[in-house]
Every structure is written in structure tokens, then in C-alpha cells.
Amino acid sequence: MDKNFVVGVDVGGQTTKIGVVDTRGEVLAQTVIRSDIFGKDADAYINALAEAIENVIKEADKEGEIRGIGVGAPNGNYYTGSVAFAPNLAWAADTSVPFASMLTEKLGGIPVSLTNDANAAAVGEMTYGAARGMKNFIMITLGTGVGSGIVINGQVVYGHDGFAGELGHTNVVRYNGRTCGCGKTGCLEAYCSAIGVARTAREWLESSEEPSSLRLVENITSKDVFEAAKEGDKLALRVFEYTGTLLGRSFADFVAFSAPEAIVLFGGLARAKEFLYEPMLRAMNENVLKIWKDKVKIVFSQLKESDAAILGASALAWEL
Amino acid sequence: MDKNFVVGVDVGGQTTKIGVVDTRGEVLAQTVIRSDIFGKDADAYINALAEAIENVIKEADKEGEIRGIGVGAPNGNYYTGSVAFAPNLAWAADTSVPFASMLTEKLGGIPVSLTNDANAAAVGEMTYGAARGMKNFIMITLGTGVGSGIVINGQVVYGHDGFAGELGHTNVVRYNGRTCGCGKTGCLEAYCSAIGVARTAREWLESSEEPSSLRLVENITSKDVFEAAKEGDKLALRVFEYTGTLLGRSFADFVAFSAPEAIVLFGGLARAKEFLYEPMLRAMNENVLKIWKDKVKIVFSQLKESDAAILGASALAWEL
């Protein structure tokens, strides 16, 4: 029987999304399991995952027609198929889990391809989304953190060790930069993630008397800042102006590296497109060499948000 | 007849070096012509170059045995074969010269492959030098400027437009950064080129009363700073410490991009290895994610300096 279907698995800190996908990127059936109820027991998690995969394949009525499983996971390594030292996954926080081989074994030999979530998003965008037809682009995922997937000549860059593309941890503020979750200072992620945006708002509220609707909010999140900006709150608008400017500056340096056709943005924070786009584009063009001025596009993911994570991961499996 | 020889052409602002090279990287015959006596007449320059190439092939007694010509030139574009808007070449300063096709025509059809000088150096290092056997590395050329050639999966990265790998123009000092020759501020090249090193020394001499043997030198060059450092001059030593630190910081960000096995250094300023190596390595390791700490090598070119430019360019021609 032809194997014309794949399964996409998106491993997140709280939940794991699983879907059966056809060649046109339609999600035929999907399900969700918890990632965070297995403590340090990786085997128990992989068992639950394998069972959920089998069930969703059954639900889609595609038993025996699955070409492979694509997995996007934090700290997933394409070369080794393992998930190692991923702070948000208790069962892989202080060890290296041979995820792909464990899953293949439990599924009776179905091949598994694994990479980190941002690389999976890049493959998804190239296969089904905003980067179709592009051979050189950089995917930036703006979520809780800032992830990246770099595509050169139509191929994801994995580097010497499988960990290439950690652009969220390049420096964007050298002097007195914020401490990042990774332990370094001044990382892009410390400023331009959802957490970074909320932090900027809180810092600015503390250091000034400027009136803002955000002063009424406890435990400000990036969503609160977004809502306030939509209502015209000036401080919130400036937070996005600042965030977009830092992103654009960083993009300029990324362009000098791989001369991409476009930067493709994805993730919860990318929803603030209306506030981020202009400062981002302006700062990028102010900081690139003349040869690239007004040449590199900034585009936003075209994948349906609810399907995107599964699609991205599933797209990996077509290469198997 | 088998075509087992190539010609390497290294186009510099003042001279153009030409050599016939065999498969083992031996330079069998070489010559030099001026690049700077043709004014805006690109045709006259290419004529002189073609004549010199024919002569040097004759001298090596390899007529009819040349597989191709590899050219490294400032602002050389691999995709288009042209040299465009190269400030240091009068005949290509404000126009785009279809260098490869012009040269092929004058040489009766011998194929020509062209790229910028740093990419040519990367190919040379991979073919004959310190990067033999490496599939992922970043070549940094420390000369008058700072150039770069990025190799991923054994292939030079050219990007969407052929201009990828301008790492000398990524930002290394955000706040109050020096103006770079390119018009931007804070570029790596403004600090870590030969010119940048001299500039650092001059600035520090002006802004302090610190004794230094460099106070006796007029029009300080990087070579003067190097000589002073070798004599133990403390200010000169700190200039290299600072230069190495900035390089290392930038390398850390490059590592986050492509996760290379090594950074390979080449060029006149790389001769100051004894003063640059330690601060470079330290700053890189202080600024990478934990996964890369003490993992990425910094190595120096192993090519004989007098041959290196020709070898780098010639290596391109093997791919023809």
C-alpha cells in the first residue's frame, strides 16, 4: 500500500499535539496529550505518546499508510534524534532522551524524524506556508521564547552538531543587557519574546510616572500589552515600537549572514503584526548594507494557527 | 587531453595575482599585474588579465590542460559572475562588470567561476588548508577590512542574491559605535580590521596620558601596534586584548547561527595570533550557549601566505 500520510507531533512544555496529515497539508485527525504529568519518566511519556499516535491514525483510518512521524520538540537534535536538557520537559530536563529511536520501537518500526520546534516550523512554512517556493529564508518564532530555523538552498541548517539556529540567543543589547533565561545577558529572547515584552512594559511602568491603562493590571503579560496597544495606550504602543526596533536590528545582522529572501515570523507574539511590522522593517533597513536595503521581505506565517505546529512537525516526515 | 590544472586569480585593489595550480595545491607558475592603472576602463583591465593568464599558462606549459579559472574579487557575485560597485576597483566602482563572461570570451571559452575574496579563501582552506575535512566552518579574513566566507554542509553559503557572508558588517558595538566605511555604525570591521586596530590605538593614545612606545610613531598602522605589543608595550597589548574580545563576542553570535566546527582565521592581522587567540577564545566561550562552551575551535590558516590568495581562488575552479 502506498504510504501517503504522515504524522506531526508538536511537543510543548504542557501539551503534545498530534495530527495525521496528507500531502496537501490537510490535518485529517488530531489529538492532544499532556506532556507534564510524567515527572522524570521519559518511558511513560513515550508510551502515552505512542498510544495516542496509534489512536489518531486509527481515527483517520490510515493504518499501514503512514510514511513517517515528524516531531518538533524543544532542544530536539536532528542528527541524534534525541531531546536533551530541555528545561521545560521534566523527563528530559537533566538527561538526553533518545526520543526518535524509542518512539520508532514502540510504533513497530515507523521511522521518526525529529528537530527543534523552530526548525519544524521552518519546514512547515516552506512546505505549506508563507515560504513556499523560497530557498533561502529565516524563520523566527516569537513565543514564550524566540526560536529560529534557518533555511539555505532549500535545506534547514543543522550545523556541525545539530543545534544550529539559536538566534534568540544572539546579542541585541550589549551594554547593561538583561539577563536571559539561558544565563547570558542581552539576548534577543530577553527582549523580544512574549516574556520580554511584558518585562519591558513592567520596567517602563516602574521607572516612570507616565499614565497607562497597564497600571491597573496585575502580573502584566504580553497579551495585556497587546490589548492596551489596540486601545491606543501610548506606553504599550512604545513597547511594541521598541520590540520591533530591536528585532529589526537583529534581522539586519542575520541578513548579513545568509542573505535570505525573507524573514518569516510565526508565534503568539507575531499576532501583534500591526504594531511590530513598521519598526521592524525600518530598523532592519537602517542596519543592513546598501546592497540589501529595501530588498529583504518580512512576512508572517500563513498557516492556520491551530494546525501550524502539527503541520510544521509533519512536514519533516516527508523527507524520510 | 585531461584537464587537470586550474588558474587562480586574486583581484586586489592594487595588484592582481595569477597562478597555475595542480590538484595537490602546488602553484606551478605565477605572475602579477596591476589592477589600478586602467581607470574606469574595465575592458582594458580584462584584456591585460587575459593576456597575463595566457602567458602564465604557457610558462607552466599547460596549454589546453586548464579546466577553469577561479576568481576571487571584492564584491564578486557567484551567481551573476559580475563585480559590482567595488569601491577599491576604479573600473568597477560605480558599475557592474560582467567579469566572468568577459574573461571567458577573451580566453576562447575557458569557464570562469567568480566569488568574493573571503569566499574564495574559505574554499581554499577547505580544499588545501586548515579546514580540510570540515563541512561546517566560518572563514574570517582579518585584513584591511573584515571579510567572511561561511561553509555549511561542505558548501559556501551564497544566499538568495549571491552576497551572503558579510559578517564584517554585523554589529559589535551598539552604543556610540564607530562609523564604518560602509556608512553604518558599530560594525565589526570598524574595530577588528587592520584599520580598526590602528584606530583603537590612536583613540586610546589621544584619550589618555599612558606612556607607550607608539607615541613616537606617526600615522600608526596595525603593524606598528603589533611590533609594539611584541616589545611588551602595555597599551598595544591591551589594543589586541580588546580586539580579540570583540572578535570573540561576535564569533559567539555566529556560532548561534550555523553551529560550525571551527572559526578559521586568515589575513594580515591574523599574524597577531599570539595576542588575539586567548581573548578571542575566552570571549567566545563566555558568550555562547552552554551547548557550545569549549566546543568550537578557533584555528588559523595553514596556507603559505604568498600562495594563499591564488590557491583560494583556484579552488573554486575545481567545481566547474
Side-chain angles (χ1 to χ4, degrees):
Chain A
M1 193 184 285
D2 275 1
K3 299 196 171 180
N4 288 327
F5 301 90
V6 290
V7 172
V9 177
D10 176 60
V11 181
Q14 282 156 1
T15 63
T16 297
K17 294 178 189 126
I18 304 149
V20 177
V21 180
D22 70 13
T23 50
R24 289 170 309 152
E26 292 288 324
V27 179
L28 306 181
Q30 55 181 301
T31 188
V32 178
I33 64 166
R34 299 290 297 259
S35 317
D36 58 357
I37 55 169
F38 301 95
K40 291 191 175 297
D41 191 347
D43 202 59
Y45 168 77
I46 300 278
N47 271 331
L49 175 60
E51 197 186 314
I53 290 173
E54 279 170 349
N55 287 338
V56 77
I57 293 172
K58 216 171 279 173
E59 191 192 324
D61 199 21
K62 301 300 174 199
E63 289 144 297
E65 295 181 66
I66 301 299
R67 183 177 307 184
I69 318 273
V71 181
N75 288 26
N77 187 303
Y78 180 77
Y79 293 144
T80 63
S82 59
V83 174
F85 306 104
N88 298 324
L89 302 169
W91 40 267
D94 37 36
T95 183
S96 175
V97 175
F99 194 112
S101 60
M102 284 169 78
L103 189 58
T104 289
E105 198 191 334
K106 302 217 194 265
L107 291 171
I110 301 180
V112 173
S113 185
L114 178 146
T115 189
N116 74 37
D117 31 2
N119 286 339
V123 178
E125 218 59 52
M126 184 163 52
T127 313
Y128 308 116
R132 255 174 306 181
M134 288 189 196
K135 295 216 162 274
N136 294 278
F137 69 97
I138 298 177
M139 180 89 204
I140 302 285
T141 60
L142 300 172
T144 318
V146 174
S148 65
I150 299 157
V151 173
I152 290 177
N153 276 336
Q155 302 202 300
V156 174
V157 174
Y158 295 110
H160 179 58
D161 55 13
F163 290 118
E166 285 289 352
L167 301 182
H169 300 284
T170 56
N171 188 285
V172 69
V173 175
R174 294 264 176 216
Y175 180 74
N176 237 334
R178 284 180 193 163
T179 300
C180 181
C182 73
K184 307 200 300 154
T185 57
C187 291
L188 187 60
E189 175 165 305
Y191 291 84
C192 300
S193 58
I195 289 171
V197 164
R199 204 164 151 187
T200 304
R202 286 194 299 260
E203 281 181 15
W204 290 7
L205 288 165
E206 275 167 32
S207 66
S208 82
E209 303 284 312
E210 184 180 345
S212 164
S213 62
L214 288 167
R215 294 201 181 271
L216 305 169
V217 184
E218 267 186 87
N219 295 319
I220 292 169
T221 65
S222 61
K223 197 154 172 283
D224 298 324
V225 187
F226 183 41
E227 296 301 331
K230 283 202 281 194
E231 299 296 323
D233 186 88
K234 282 189 180 152
L235 187 139
L237 286 167
R238 273 192 292 113
V239 169
F240 282 109
E241 170 91 21
Y242 177 69
T243 307
T245 301
L246 293 188
L247 282 168
R249 277 195 209 163
S250 286
F251 294 171
D253 284 350
F254 305 161
V255 167
F257 202 102
S258 68
E261 182 175 353
I263 308 279
V264 182
L265 299 176
F266 176 76
L269 196 60
R271 261 174 271 170
K273 176 177 171 172
E274 59 192 300
F275 305 119
L276 289 172
Y277 182 68
E278 274 184 38
M280 232 164 28
L281 194 65
R282 186 181 345 107
M284 179 174 78
N285 282 317
E286 279 170 9
N287 287 282
V288 287
L289 288 176
K290 281 189 197 118
I291 43 171
W292 289 307
K293 218 171 272 282
D294 303 319
K295 296 267 171 69
V296 182
K297 289 174 277 191
I298 296 179
V299 299
F300 289 77
S301 169
Q302 289 170 358
L303 297 180
K304 215 168 88 189
E305 206 162 334
S306 56
D307 294 349
I310 288 172
L311 283 178
S314 77
L316 267 185
W318 292 118
E319 294 172 6
L320 283 164
Chain B
M1 195 182 285
D2 275 359
K3 299 197 171 181
N4 288 329
F5 301 90
V6 291
V7 173
V9 177
D10 176 60
V11 181
Q14 281 156 4
T15 64
T16 297
K17 295 178 189 125
I18 305 150
V20 177
V21 180
D22 70 14
T23 51
R24 289 169 311 152
E26 292 288 326
V27 179
L28 306 181
Q30 57 181 300
T31 187
V32 178
I33 64 167
R34 300 289 296 258
S35 317
D36 59 356
I37 56 170
F38 301 94
K40 292 191 175 295
D41 191 348
D43 202 60
Y45 168 75
I46 301 279
N47 271 332
L49 175 59
E51 198 185 314
I53 290 172
E54 279 169 349
N55 287 338
V56 79
I57 293 172
K58 215 171 280 173
E59 192 191 325
D61 199 19
K62 301 298 173 199
E63 288 145 298
E65 296 181 65
I66 301 298
R67 183 176 307 185
I69 318 272
V71 180
N75 289 26
N77 187 303
Y78 180 77
Y79 292 144
T80 63
S82 58
V83 174
F85 306 103
N88 298 325
L89 302 169
W91 40 267
D94 37 37
T95 183
S96 176
V97 175
F99 195 112
S101 60
M102 285 169 77
L103 189 58
T104 289
E105 196 190 335
K106 304 218 192 265
L107 291 172
I110 300 181
V112 173
S113 185
L114 177 147
T115 190
N116 73 37
D117 31 2
N119 286 339
V123 178
E125 219 58 53
M126 184 163 54
T127 312
Y128 308 115
R132 254 176 306 181
M134 288 189 196
K135 296 218 160 273
N136 292 279
F137 69 95
I138 297 176
M139 179 90 206
I140 301 286
T141 60
L142 300 172
T144 319
V146 174
S148 65
I150 300 156
V151 174
I152 290 177
N153 275 337
Q155 302 201 298
V156 175
V157 174
Y158 295 110
H160 179 57
D161 56 13
F163 290 118
E166 285 289 352
L167 300 182
H169 299 285
T170 56
N171 187 287
V172 69
V173 176
R174 295 262 177 216
Y175 180 75
N176 238 334
R178 283 180 193 162
T179 301
C180 180
C182 74
K184 307 199 299 151
T185 57
C187 291
L188 186 60
E189 174 165 304
Y191 291 84
C192 299
S193 59
I195 289 172
V197 164
R199 203 165 152 187
T200 303
R202 286 194 300 260
E203 282 181 13
W204 291 7
L205 288 165
E206 273 166 34
S207 65
S208 82
E209 303 284 311
E210 183 179 345
S212 164
S213 61
L214 289 168
R215 294 200 180 274
L216 305 169
V217 184
E218 267 184 88
N219 295 320
I220 293 169
T221 65
S222 61
K223 195 152 174 287
D224 298 323
V225 186
F226 183 42
E227 295 301 331
K230 282 201 282 195
E231 299 297 324
D233 186 88
K234 283 192 179 150
L235 188 138
L237 286 167
R238 274 192 293 112
V239 169
F240 282 109
E241 170 92 22
Y242 176 71
T243 306
T245 301
L246 293 188
L247 282 168
R249 278 194 208 165
S250 286
F251 295 171
D253 283 350
F254 306 161
V255 167
F257 202 103
S258 69
E261 181 174 353
I263 308 280
V264 182
L265 298 176
F266 176 76
L269 195 60
R271 260 174 273 169
K273 175 177 173 173
E274 59 192 302
F275 305 120
L276 290 173
Y277 181 69
E278 274 185 38
M280 230 164 27
L281 195 64
R282 187 181 344 109
M284 180 175 78
N285 282 318
E286 280 170 6
N287 288 281
V288 287
L289 288 176
K290 279 188 198 120
I291 44 171
W292 290 306
K293 218 171 274 283
D294 302 320
K295 295 267 172 69
V296 182
K297 290 174 276 193
I298 296 179
V299 300
F300 289 77
S301 170
Q302 290 171 357
L303 297 180
K304 214 169 86 190
E305 207 161 335
S306 56
D307 293 349
I310 287 172
L311 283 178
S314 77
L316 267 186
W318 292 117
E319 294 172 5
L320 282 164

